[in-house]
Amino acid sequence: MSANVLKDAARTLRASYAALPTPRDMAALRADSKAAEARGYYDPIEDERLREVYASYLGMRVAIWQTIQTLKPCFTRFKKGQRLSEGELQAFGIAFCGAEIIVRTGEYLIGLAKDRDIVWKKLDEAELRYGLERKSFTRLYRQLTSNFTMRGFYNARDYFDANREAVMGAMATEELRPIADILTTLNLPTASRGDHLKRYRRFVNFSLRRRSISAGRNTMFALFEATGSDIAELKIPLVKNIGAAKRVKPEVIETLKSQLQPGDVFITRHDDAMSNLFLPGFWPHGALYIGPPKARQARSIADVSDGYKQSLAAGINILEAKKDGVLLRPIEETLQVDAFVVLRPKLTEAQINDALTKGLSHAGKLYDFIFNFATSDRLVCTEVIYRAYHGVGPVDFALSTQAGRKCLSAEDFLNQAIANDWFEPVMLYGIGGKNGFEASENIRLKLSNTFASRFT
């Protein structure tokens, strides 16, 4: 397994861990739950706050699951008792840390909901804005009370406890030391199998009160397998169409390349809910097209590094924030999607160069799972675009408040960018489940019909 795969996985876990609810967050949610219980319902502000935390957790959970899947191939061939190499121990330590974060963070929400039916019922409501299906929290709770689900996790924990020195020693590198610190902070050996008996009793009591708990359809996934021990086969709610081919094909990307200009913005969509959990809406994700290296050299835009790649390296033409961070990427990676729209800034070349330079200054930062635009040490996808273009020429984006934090969703970006005539949509592909570009004269209208637009 390449060192870059391990580094990417470690970056995702660091960002995920930093997004865990703080004591202040949990205190606010507990106060909201008490107020809601007293009046008999959640008011809109309390509702948004709770749902934002829940959606953020599910998004983080999916990101960790995807990350662990990249490590799993290391361990499919091993037998019980077989000695692991340093690289294999590193992969085990990263994956186990990810599974521990998934299990432990689930306890935050369980602790909030276990004594108040009103919280549980609220989290079980369907909410299409976040891709949340009815009774998603009940399914999540059952996963964390199932002996079958958790058995693998505790087997892996036993392996970690028995080989702690070797695992932690293998992770004593510059890139992996933060993950070793997280493992130490989590104080892993304190977890007890008895905890799950308590959770199971709480679930049964709740089930009897509600009288009807439907299991629904759950997608199982194995997080990890190593030396006869696997990390919890935890199910991810709402994951659909896993492995289905994306509708943007290589030939589409090749056609597109000659039509793009440095400074263009991609807003993209995956059809499956798994990829839409990070931000709500039909259009949830954004990326900045920085152009091919020769075009940037011709514009005298300075070369930068994200810690892995140089911006002037062959094949690099996108700056994009995903779960592994704000990294320089090839367009082929960014467009592994089902639909996209390209927006072109209505600015001078000098102004666009300024925006690209500002955007590239953030290369290498971690992903921000809590979508807090007030800080710049970690960025979410649309924040890269926001920090590149805000204040350039007439561009002046207004942030909206969600769950007490200021942010700019991809659909907010579309609305403001087009309604204010700062950007023009120039290409639209894949809407309505169809494979194909919209005619240029139809792009604006067809795009406006895909979401709650404020332009025509």
Side-chain angles (χ1 to χ4, degrees):
M1 178 164 289
S2 72
N4 279 350
V5 171
L6 296 179
K7 288 171 67 176
D8 287 344
R11 287 172 59 87
T12 300
L13 292 194
R14 286 171 58 197
S16 301
Y17 185 71
L20 296 184
T22 66
R24 182 177 180 180
D25 293 333
M26 295 310 298
L29 293 181
R30 283 192 293 270
D32 288 348
S33 69
K34 291 179 182 178
E37 186 176 51
R39 79 169 72 92
Y41 62 90
Y42 270 85
D43 72 21
I45 295 175
E46 296 163 349
D47 188 310
E48 288 291 306
R49 193 150 42 216
L50 177 64
R51 220 176 283 278
E52 286 283 346
V53 171
Y54 183 42
S56 177
Y57 166 68
L58 291 178
M60 180 180 68
R61 180 181 166 102
V62 170
I64 294 175
W65 171 73
Q66 292 173 325
T67 297
I68 294 175
Q69 290 298 304
T70 66
L71 304 174
K72 186 178 176 181
C74 278
F75 300 91
T76 56
R77 69 185 187 277
F78 291 102
K79 298 179 180 180
K80 188 173 183 178
Q82 185 169 344
R83 185 178 181 85
L84 300 185
S85 68
E86 180 178 72
E88 291 155 357
L89 286 170
Q90 290 172 340
F92 177 85
I94 294 170
F96 182 50
C97 182
E100 178 66 20
I101 292 173
I102 286 175
V103 172
R104 291 298 181 93
T105 51
E107 290 294 326
Y108 287 111
L109 290 169
I110 287 173
L112 183 68
K114 67 182 178 65
D115 295 324
R116 287 193 170 86
D117 286 3
I118 194 169
V119 179
W120 197 309
K121 291 175 182 177
K122 175 58 64 177
L123 293 177
D124 259 353
E125 291 177 4
E127 176 50 87
L128 297 180
R129 291 178 303 160
Y130 299 102
L132 298 176
E133 294 178 345
R134 184 172 174 269
K135 293 191 175 181
S136 64
F137 183 73
T138 291
R139 293 197 292 273
L140 176 69
Y141 190 95
R142 294 184 76 166
Q143 292 162 24
L144 293 176
T145 61
S146 164
N147 283 333
F148 174 76
T149 300
M150 298 304 299
R151 178 183 59 201
F153 174 78
Y154 281 118
N155 287 341
R157 194 206 64 183
D158 290 343
Y159 177 84
F160 177 76
D161 286 346
N163 298 274
R164 176 184 291 263
E165 184 176 348
V167 174
M168 298 298 274
M171 298 178 70
T173 67
E174 182 179 355
E175 293 84 5
L176 301 186
R177 192 171 289 109
I179 306 305
D181 291 342
I182 292 173
L183 285 171
T184 301
T185 301
L186 289 174
N187 195 19
L188 297 175
T190 63
S192 166
R193 288 173 173 81
D195 293 343
H196 295 284
L197 292 176
K198 296 176 184 177
R199 283 198 295 268
Y200 180 72
R201 293 191 191 100
R202 289 199 296 263
F203 176 76
V204 170
N205 291 335
F206 178 81
S207 180
L208 291 174
R209 289 198 304 273
R210 291 284 298 277
R211 295 189 178 184
S212 175
I213 296 293
S214 59
R217 292 196 307 165
N218 293 305
T219 304
M220 297 294 293
F221 74 96
L223 284 182
F224 210 63
E225 291 183 357
T227 62
S229 302
D230 61 333
I231 290 180
E233 290 186 341
L234 302 175
K235 308 168 200 173
I236 292 290
L238 318 175
V239 176
K240 300 178 181 178
N241 303 330
I242 297 176
K246 296 300 179 183
R247 289 188 287 107
V248 177
K249 307 297 183 184
E251 55 268 26
V252 174
I253 298 174
E254 287 304 313
T255 300
L256 185 68
K257 285 180 179 178
S258 63
Q259 303 177 54
L260 294 171
Q261 296 180 15
D264 286 350
V265 172
F266 279 98
I267 303 297
T268 63
R269 170 179 173 78
H270 296 267
D271 288 339
D272 54 295
M274 176 181 69
S275 302
N276 295 336
L277 280 172
F278 297 98
L279 284 170
F282 183 87
W283 298 102
H285 187 73
L288 179 62
Y289 182 73
I290 59 177
K294 286 185 179 180
R296 274 175 277 123
Q297 282 182 309
R299 293 181 176 213
S300 300
I301 297 174
D303 189 22
V304 301
S305 171
D306 63 8
Y308 300 91
K309 302 176 287 291
Q310 296 293 131
S311 63
L312 296 182
I316 295 300
N317 41 32
I318 296 283
L319 180 68
E320 181 182 15
K322 298 200 294 187
K323 65 182 187 299
D324 54 355
V326 185
L327 300 182
L328 301 161
R329 309 176 193 271
I331 193 172
E332 289 79 5
E333 177 183 337
T334 296
L335 290 186
Q336 291 179 8
V337 297
D338 295 297
F340 64 83
V341 58
V342 177
L343 288 93
R344 183 155 296 155
K346 303 176 78 170
L347 301 170
T348 67
E349 182 174 299
Q351 289 171 327
I352 293 172
N353 291 347
D354 182 29
L356 291 174
T357 298
K358 290 202 300 179
L360 286 166
S361 70
H362 299 286
K365 293 183 177 181
L366 294 177
Y367 188 79
D368 184 4
F369 281 95
I370 59 176
F371 313 118
N372 185 6
F373 280 47
T375 61
S376 61
D377 56 334
R378 293 176 171 82
L379 305 185
V380 70
C381 60
T382 50
E383 190 173 2
V384 173
I385 302 165
Y386 167 72
R387 291 190 177 276
Y389 277 107
H390 183 73
V392 176
V395 180
D396 184 22
F397 289 109
L399 303 182
S400 61
T401 301
Q402 297 186 32
R405 297 185 179 93
K406 297 288 188 180
C407 63
L408 181 76
S409 72
E411 292 186 353
D412 282 344
F413 167 79
L414 287 173
N415 272 322
Q416 295 185 49
I418 297 173
N420 289 301
D421 204 32
W422 300 329
F423 288 74
E424 179 68 22
V426 293
M427 282 170 271
L428 179 62
Y429 179 93
I431 62 169
K434 299 177 181 179
N435 297 341
F437 286 95
E438 295 296 327
S440 58
E441 63 271 19
N442 298 333
I443 290 175
R444 192 180 180 105
L445 178 60
K446 290 291 185 72
L447 176 62
S448 71
N449 290 335
T450 62
F451 71 108
S453 63
R454 298 195 295 272
F455 61 88
T456 56

